[in-house]
Amino acid sequence: MAAAVRSQVISLYRMMLTESKKFPSYNYRTYALRRVRDAFRANGALEDPRAVERLVVEGQQTLALIKRQVSIGRMYATQKSVVDD
Amino acid sequence: MYRVYFLIKRHELEIDELRPLYMDFQATTPMDPRVLDAMLPYQVNYYGNPHSKTHAFGWESESAMETARRQVADLIGADPREIIFTSGATESNNMAIKGVARFYKTKKRHVITTQTEHKCVLDSCRILASEGFSITYLPVQANGIVDLELLEASIRPDTSLLSVMTINNEIGVKQPMKEIGQICRSKGVFLHTDAAQAVGKIPINVTDMKVDLMSISGHKIYGPKGVGALYVRRRPRVRLEPLQSGGGQERGLRSGTVPTPLAVGLGAACSIAQQEMEYDHQRVSMLANRLVQKITSELPDVIMNGDAEQRYAGCVNLSFAYVEGESLLMALKDVALSSGSACTSASLEPSYVLRAIGTDEDLAHSSIRFGIGRFTTEAEVDYTAEKCITQVSRLREMSPLWEMVQEGIDLKSIKWTQH
């Protein structure tokens, strides 16, 4: 993968994890963190630049979704779960 | 008739009280954030009626509804024209059973179903019986699966419909739908299946299963509550008498404005389920094994209800001998669980599904259903297992029956007397 694309993917990954940590709901938060990590891991070996670009675009859309849903979660926050630490 | 008192007292959570963790995924599921995100635009700005033909509000709403229809169809291998939006699986089941039976009533007066079906299926059949139809309620084997030979033998020349649920909501058992479909096709009987618990969790193809009607529920697959769908085969055509009359929407089979935000939610949920099916399946199976292993390695006399192989992993129904189910649920108050179907929990009668698989009366009262889903974590499973082990051990210590069993007394040999 070209160096520019690689750093773009890494920065997208970091931003998605940072935003996912902000979910107030324990279940949504753990799911988002886990799913983002597993998705990037699964596609780690991808070489085809077009496929990579497509996934990056999808990732950016998901990042925007996560931000929106985090805001909604905060607006309607409730008590924490018993397993939440 | 004696008054029955519920042990678990209903109360709202205090401000500082922590929320219980959710392990009741068969009752309902939380909405996936991606589903909510897809629905919101249609609740805020794109609020048009999808049947309005004369302006942009109508056109954009209709376009969203048709996209959702295609997403639902793709998940089950159907054509979009075969999908009818309804208010949920209960309505879909009612439509399918009453609709098909009534349409063909001049020549065919017999309907077959099983004893472990959802209450809405059984109740629809009861209504048909009062209309003069003859209904056969097939028994199931001890593992919860129907006997295929018995099923084939009960089909008569005047049978119009056979209804069998794909995955049972109480014990998680998976019926052999391909074989049942083969039998129905060969005998010219329509096959309906309540696939509410199966869609989006196991691969479903209506052509492979030779299914003619299928009920789908939104809130079992991380979609919104209040929406579902009915798949109605077009080739060979299945005719049904509509339950709801009106403006002729949904091919005349279900009149009424299609709720675009809900339909969009259902479509998004189906599309996400298709993408995530493999990932979710692996995770849910791993978590279910973890739960069962932890519990059975520390506690003796725990029985899993339903076949061990032919099942959906995420629905685990366990009976804890010598412990009363309601007491255990009360002791596990930090975990949201159920002892059987939400539809039947209004009475203190043990579940009819457990009775149908031949569970002993006292074991049926001691059963708990653990539901695992997309959002369940290892920490939640471990917490549940540990609490379960502690509480079951504690309740057994207090139980005189358990004491007697430990001393080697055979409980079945005791003659209980009145005082």
Side-chain angles (χ1 to χ4, degrees), chain A residues 2-60:
Chain A
V5 176
R6 188 183 161 75
S7 67
Q8 189 191 20
V9 167
I10 291 177
S11 118
L12 175 65
Y13 178 60
R14 268 206 217 107
M15 283 198 284
M16 288 180 86
L17 289 182
T18 310
E19 288 306 316
S20 296
K21 287 196 183 113
K22 299 180 184 169
F23 267 114
S25 151
Y26 167 78
N27 291 99
Y28 288 160
R29 187 173 65 246
T30 51
Y31 178 75
L33 287 168
R34 187 187 338 122
R35 192 70 192 91
V36 165
R37 201 192 56 220
D38 288 347
F40 274 83
R41 208 166 275 175
N43 291 312
L46 214 54
E47 289 294 342
D48 174 21
R50 262 178 314 204
V52 170
E53 163 141 16
R54 202 170 18 91
L55 285 176
V56 165
V57 166
E58 202 182 298
Q60 283 161 344

Side-chain angles (χ1 to χ4, degrees), chain B residues 230-250:
Chain B
L230 178 66
Y231 158 76
V232 182
R233 183 175 281 282
R234 287 179 85 237
R235 290 216 184 94
R237 186 172 288 263
V238 180
R239 309 289 301 275
L240 42 97
E241 200 183 271
L243 274 183
Q244 196 155 305
S245 330
Q249 289 84 7
E250 298 298 282

Side-chain angles (χ1 to χ4, degrees), chain B residues 6-56:
Chain B
F6 293 97
L7 292 172
I8 300 182
K9 198 151 176 279
R10 187 197 142 92
H11 80 286
E12 316 266 308
L13 285 176
E14 306 288 320
I15 291 291
D16 51 350
E17 208 178 325
L18 298 174
R19 289 184 75 72
L21 61 96
Y22 194 73
M23 293 282 285
D24 202 10
F25 279 77
Q26 278 70 42
T28 188
T29 56
M31 275 217 286
D32 193 299
R34 292 166 282 192
V35 168
L36 182 60
D37 202 70
M39 287 170 67
L40 279 171
Y42 297 90
Q43 299 278 34
V44 180
N45 291 315
Y46 305 133
Y47 49 78
N49 184 319
H51 314 293
S52 298
K53 304 269 183 235
T54 57
H55 47 69

Side-chain angles (χ1 to χ4, degrees), chain B residues 39 64-65 68-69 71-72 85 224 227 258-268:
Chain B
M39 287 170 67
M65 175 181 76
R69 200 187 299 277
Q71 285 169 320
V72 177
F85 287 114
V227 71
V258 170
T260 304
L262 296 178
V264 164
L266 177 61

Side-chain angles (χ1 to χ4, degrees), chain B residues 47-261:
Chain B
Y47 49 78
N49 184 319
H51 314 293
S52 298
K53 304 269 183 235
T54 57
H55 47 69
F57 289 94
W59 303 327
E60 71 204 353
S61 189
E62 185 190 22
S63 162
M65 175 181 76
E66 293 306 322
T67 303
R69 200 187 299 277
R70 192 179 36 79
Q71 285 169 320
V72 177
D74 282 349
L75 182 59
I76 59 172
D79 185 277
R81 289 169 296 180
E82 296 172 312
I83 303 291
I84 311 286
F85 287 114
T86 64
S87 65
T90 297
E91 183 185 346
S92 303
N93 284 335
N94 269 265
M95 268 172 75
I97 293 169
K98 291 176 181 164
V100 170
R102 287 171 185 164
F103 189 87
Y104 295 98
K105 69 172 180 254
T106 44
K107 300 235 177 71
K108 306 214 170 180
R109 308 283 293 177
H110 182 228
V111 172
I112 307 175
T113 185
T114 72
Q115 290 175 4
T116 52
E117 293 299 303
H118 197 267
K119 263 279 156 75
C120 56
V121 170
L122 296 177
D123 213 55
S124 300
C125 289
R126 193 179 57 78
I127 297 289
L128 288 180
S130 73
E131 288 176 13
F133 287 85
S134 147
I135 316 283
T136 299
Y137 298 93
L138 288 174
V140 293
Q141 301 166 91
N143 62 358
I145 301 184
V146 293
D147 183 331
L148 290 172
E149 281 171 17
L150 186 59
L151 187 145
E152 184 157 10
S154 48
I155 296 179
R156 309 191 319 216
D158 70 332
T159 305
S160 56
L161 182 71
L162 180 80
S163 177
V164 182
M165 69 195 318
T166 310
I167 288 181
N168 187 279
N169 57 317
E170 288 198 37
I171 55 181
V173 161
K174 192 164 47 164
Q175 300 292 348
M177 294 312 300
K178 282 213 178 93
E179 287 78 358
I180 297 175
Q182 183 60 43
I183 295 172
C184 289
R185 249 330 137 72
S186 66
K187 301 256 178 156
V189 173
F190 289 126
L191 176 59
H192 164 254
T193 183
D194 176 359
Q197 297 286 348
V199 165
K201 300 190 173 126
I202 58 166
I204 296 220
N205 187 294
V206 289
T207 313
D208 285 349
M209 286 164 64
K210 297 193 171 63
V211 143
D212 301 301
L213 296 134
M214 180 183 283
S215 303
I216 296 164
S217 173
H219 73 112
K220 305 289 168 26
I221 53 172
Y222 314 96
K225 294 175 184 53
V227 71
L230 178 66
Y231 158 76
V232 182
R233 183 175 281 282
R234 287 179 85 237
R235 290 216 184 94
R237 186 172 288 263
V238 180
R239 309 289 301 275
L240 42 97
E241 200 183 271
L243 274 183
Q244 196 155 305
S245 330
Q249 289 84 7
E250 298 298 282
R251 284 170 57 199
L253 295 176
R254 203 273 184 184
S255 295
T257 301
V258 170
T260 304

